[in-house]
Amino acid sequence: MFTINEGESKSFRVLIKHVEEKKGTKNIYVNVTFTDGEAELSANAWCPASEFPCAGQVANITLVMKNGYINIKSAIPVPAEDPSKYLRHAPINPDSGMAMIYRYISEMNDMDLKTITEYLIKQNEDNFKRWSAAKSVHHNYLNGLLYHICRMIANVKNLSSVYALNKDLLMSAAILHDIGKLKELKMDELGSAEYTIEGNLYGHLYLGAIMVKEACRACMVNETSQNIQLLIHMILSHHGKMEYGAVKSPATREAYVLHILDELDSKLWVYEDVMKNTEPGTFSQSNRWLDGAVVYNSDVDLDSH
């Protein structure tokens, strides 16, 4: 974790994940993303990329905070250190996560939804359980997509016992709503994700909808049946608003619930991630992913659930 206060200078041993050279008004600098295996941070170093350790290297970096901004004062490579020790993973056992998903699929009564959901997960299992959920913003580390989906379906299980919802439809959509990210993103061995050509051109909502249609043809399921059409609608609308990337706004209760659960899990992850870099009993800096909110670290055990 990278807890540092105004005016302080601290050193950390980290894995360099990404180094991007940029040009400021006066000088060239690099924006660097790094992790200690538990938390991740981005900061600037005022040097060209050629003078900074490369992505994939372990380094001792010294951070300094001045005027509310964290910058990198120095970075010294540690060649003998094993980078795999510093890879950041979601706090989930991949095999246990997949077993949970298959268990919930087995409980579905709608055969069309059950067939399509199981087919798509089995066809993509290796990537599905190790993929990052995003390039940035939320769950952007190894097994992040699986962790996000497992938290989503646990919430679906609880909500379906309170509200009169189409449980099979909501469960299928919760499992498959981000399946298009397997084509939207490519991931390296460090867990860092970049957009593919398809990802940049179409986005994961469209790609996920196409994957469902292709699965229908492969499994001889009628893609014009009501539940399949509603499933595709939920994938296309789970961002909630078109200005946030949705193709359509949610038109059913299940689509609205899916959007709310997706938003809830992504936002709570941001809160949790910010807390990891904030001293207990103190406030973080303003966070742009939380509409500028500052986060108070109430010192709860983030890994207890």
Side-chain angles (χ1 to χ4, degrees):
M1 294 182 284
F2 305 104
T3 53
I4 184 169
N5 297 315
E6 180 67 31
E8 283 188 332
S9 178
K10 284 187 178 180
S11 294
F12 304 88
R13 182 161 291 187
V14 302
L15 172 65
I16 308 296
K17 288 186 66 178
H18 185 72
V19 180
E20 183 177 357
E21 187 172 278
K22 297 189 175 185
K23 188 173 183 179
T25 54
K26 295 182 179 180
N27 303 102
I28 291 175
Y29 67 98
V30 286
N31 180 253
V32 184
T33 302
F34 48 89
T35 178
D36 63 356
E38 293 184 22
E40 186 170 300
L41 194 67
S42 292
N44 294 332
W46 300 97
C47 65
S50 60
E51 297 178 11
F52 200 88
C54 299
Q57 286 188 303
V58 175
N60 290 327
I61 65 169
T62 300
L63 303 178
V64 59
M65 178 181 276
K66 186 176 181 181
N67 298 324
Y69 292 96
I70 297 175
N71 286 313
I72 301 171
K73 186 177 181 180
S74 64
I76 302 172
V78 186
E81 193 71 287
D82 180 6
S84 66
K85 290 167 53 179
Y86 297 88
L87 288 176
R88 193 179 182 199
H89 297 76
I92 188 172
N93 178 287
D95 292 332
S96 297
M98 293 306 302
M100 177 182 178
I101 289 172
Y102 282 124
R103 183 171 70 252
Y104 284 176
I105 292 174
S106 71
E107 294 173 2
M108 292 180 184
N109 294 311
D110 185 291
M111 288 309 299
D112 285 350
L113 292 173
K114 184 175 184 177
T115 298
I116 293 306
T117 307
E118 186 172 43
Y119 173 84
L120 282 169
I121 294 303
K122 282 187 175 179
Q123 288 290 308
N124 297 282
E125 183 172 327
D126 288 344
N127 285 342
F128 190 84
K129 70 180 181 180
R130 65 181 293 271
W131 227 240
S132 172
K135 179 180 177 179
S136 59
V137 187
H138 74 94
H139 303 85
N140 56 326
Y141 44 38
L142 289 164
N143 321 122
L145 178 60
L146 177 64
Y147 185 47
H148 173 53
I149 299 304
C150 285
R151 301 214 299 188
M152 291 273 291
I153 61 179
N155 282 326
V156 168
K157 185 82 170 177
N158 292 327
L159 271 179
S160 296
S161 65
V162 178
Y163 299 100
L165 299 166
N166 184 330
K167 180 182 173 182
D168 284 357
L169 179 60
L170 188 52
M171 185 63 74
S172 176
I175 294 170
L176 297 179
H177 74 284
D178 276 344
I179 193 77
K181 287 187 175 181
L182 301 180
K183 293 188 175 183
E184 180 185 49
L185 301 170
K186 57 184 176 182
M187 200 179 72
D188 64 20
E189 66 277 5
L190 304 179
S192 297
E194 295 291 341
Y195 289 103
T196 63
I197 293 175
E198 285 181 297
N200 274 316
L201 289 175
Y202 309 129
H204 70 275
L205 282 74
Y206 172 82
L207 293 170
I210 293 300
M211 290 172 75
V212 169
K213 283 181 169 286
E214 290 173 346
C216 285
R217 293 165 197 148
C219 298
M220 293 185 290
V221 168
N222 181 8
E223 65 184 79
T224 65
S225 68
Q226 178 168 285
N227 273 346
I228 295 298
Q229 287 187 318
L230 291 176
L231 170 62
I232 293 171
H233 167 73
M234 291 171 74
I235 292 172
L236 292 173
S237 66
H238 78 263
H239 280 188
K241 296 181 179 180
M242 283 180 270
E243 56 262 43
Y244 298 153
V247 178
K248 297 290 290 184
S249 297
T252 65
R253 293 173 306 149
E254 288 80 11
Y256 176 72
V257 169
L258 179 71
H259 161 61
I260 292 297
L261 291 180
D262 188 50
E263 179 79 358
L264 174 69
D265 191 53
S266 62
K267 284 291 192 289
L268 283 181
W269 184 91
V270 176
Y271 274 98
E272 293 162 3
D273 203 49
V274 172
M275 287 171 66
K276 289 183 177 181
N277 291 325
T278 306
E279 292 278 9
T282 67
F283 290 90
S284 74
Q285 299 176 57
S286 172
N287 188 279
R288 67 188 180 111
W289 302 116
L290 299 173
D291 298 323
V294 295
V295 176
Y296 178 69
N297 185 349
S298 53
D299 198 20
V300 299
D301 184 359
L302 297 175
D303 296 321
S304 62
H305 300 285

